[in-house]
Amino acid sequence: MKLVIHGKNIEITDAIRDYVHQKIEKAVNHFQNITNEVDVHLSVARNPRINPKQSAEVTIYANGSVIRAEESSENLYASIDLVADKIARQLRKYKERRHEKKTHAQTTIEGVVQQTVVKDLIGDRTPELPEEVVRTKYFSMPPMSVAEALEQLQLVDHDFYMFRNSETNEINVIYERNHGGYGVIQPRNGNGHTNSKNGKTAHAHTSTPEQPHVHK
């Protein structure tokens, strides 16, 4: 298993490196057969207004899936402890789902797709962008169904997940709705229509769309 440690605004000392190896390797010990690579990102916020200031993020690449967890606190070692426990729970969920798939070849997820076409993500709010791009992530985007994207959403510790829809070959976003359930954001063509499974068009509703909470 490959374990890589990155640091932002912090020196990765031997003591920190040893502690990360100890905690993270223990967390993934029972899942090494499905774990290909573990990426650990440690960071300390320089902005005094940011509280808590010390964060630990773990991303695991497991057989084509991405499993992610992040925790923050006032103490880096405490953050590492918290994220190790969290990633172990995420891995356990992932392994249980794989087992369920093998046991039940046909699995149906109902009520996942929110058919409303979201035309505006910010509503009446004023968009606020950072002064500069502070982080860029690259990842592969193989085509997948909405049901598969939902599984990925539940593994990456975010409330949204971007994916390439295997039915339309377009980029979609699945997200957690404020009042429960999930929504899917699809690109809209110039005529106000979106592609659907059967080739028909779907019209945008005039009701106010749900606002997904978007984290970094």
Side-chain angles (χ1 to χ4, degrees):
M1 179 187 68
K2 181 181 179 183
L3 194 155
V4 181
I5 305 174
H6 307 275
K8 179 181 179 183
N9 300 332
I10 183 175
E11 179 186 355
I12 306 299
T13 63
D14 290 340
I16 292 175
R17 189 179 301 278
D18 290 344
Y19 196 78
V20 169
H21 275 274
Q22 174 190 344
K23 290 295 181 177
I24 301 303
E25 287 179 357
K26 181 179 179 181
V28 304
N29 181 53
H30 298 296
F31 309 98
Q32 291 196 30
N33 60 319
I34 60 173
T35 302
N36 302 323
E37 180 179 339
V38 181
D39 184 87
V40 180
H41 186 87
L42 307 176
S43 62
V44 176
R46 289 180 174 176
N47 189 335
R49 292 178 296 179
I50 298 178
N51 187 34
K53 300 180 176 64
Q54 307 200 34
S55 301
E57 176 185 339
V58 176
T59 304
I60 292 180
Y61 301 92
N63 296 340
S65 296
V66 178
I67 304 164
R68 178 187 171 277
E70 181 176 2
E71 288 289 348
S72 299
S73 71
E74 292 289 343
N75 181 279
L76 183 63
Y77 289 91
S79 298
I80 294 170
D81 290 342
L82 291 170
V83 81
D85 291 340
K86 193 170 188 177
I87 202 68
R89 293 194 299 270
Q90 294 286 75
L91 281 166
R92 191 158 50 246
K93 287 182 184 178
Y94 173 72
K95 193 171 184 178
E96 288 171 357
R97 288 194 183 105
R98 288 188 63 194
H99 178 71
E100 290 173 0
K101 279 188 174 182
K102 291 179 180 179
T103 306
H104 307 284
Q106 297 292 330
T107 302
T108 302
I109 299 179
E110 299 179 355
V112 173
V113 181
Q114 174 70 15
Q115 295 295 343
T116 301
V117 178
V118 181
K119 63 180 180 179
D120 186 0
L121 289 178
I122 64 173
D124 296 329
R125 294 177 297 166
T126 301
E128 297 180 2
L129 298 176
E131 295 180 359
E132 59 179 334
V133 176
V134 295
R135 192 173 181 187
T136 301
K137 290 186 176 181
Y138 300 93
F139 59 96
S140 60
M141 196 176 289
M144 65 179 64
S145 67
V146 173
E148 291 170 329
L150 174 60
E151 290 185 3
Q152 289 297 312
L153 170 64
Q154 294 169 338
L155 290 172
V156 297
D157 196 29
H158 277 314
D159 48 20
F160 74 97
Y161 183 78
M162 181 179 293
F163 67 102
R164 183 177 298 279
N165 193 316
S166 58
E167 296 176 357
T168 64
N169 201 37
E170 293 178 330
I171 303 300
N172 290 182
V173 175
I174 186 169
Y175 65 94
E176 295 182 9
R177 301 177 70 242
N178 293 344
H179 303 293
Y182 300 90
V184 174
I185 301 173
Q186 301 174 338
R188 184 175 62 182
N189 299 327
N191 57 5
H193 298 151
T194 60
N195 294 327
S196 61
K197 183 176 180 179
N198 57 9
K200 296 180 180 179
T201 56
H203 297 273
H205 295 281
T206 57
S207 59
T208 302
E210 288 288 338
Q211 307 299 330
H213 295 292
V214 179
H215 300 302
K216 64 180 180 180

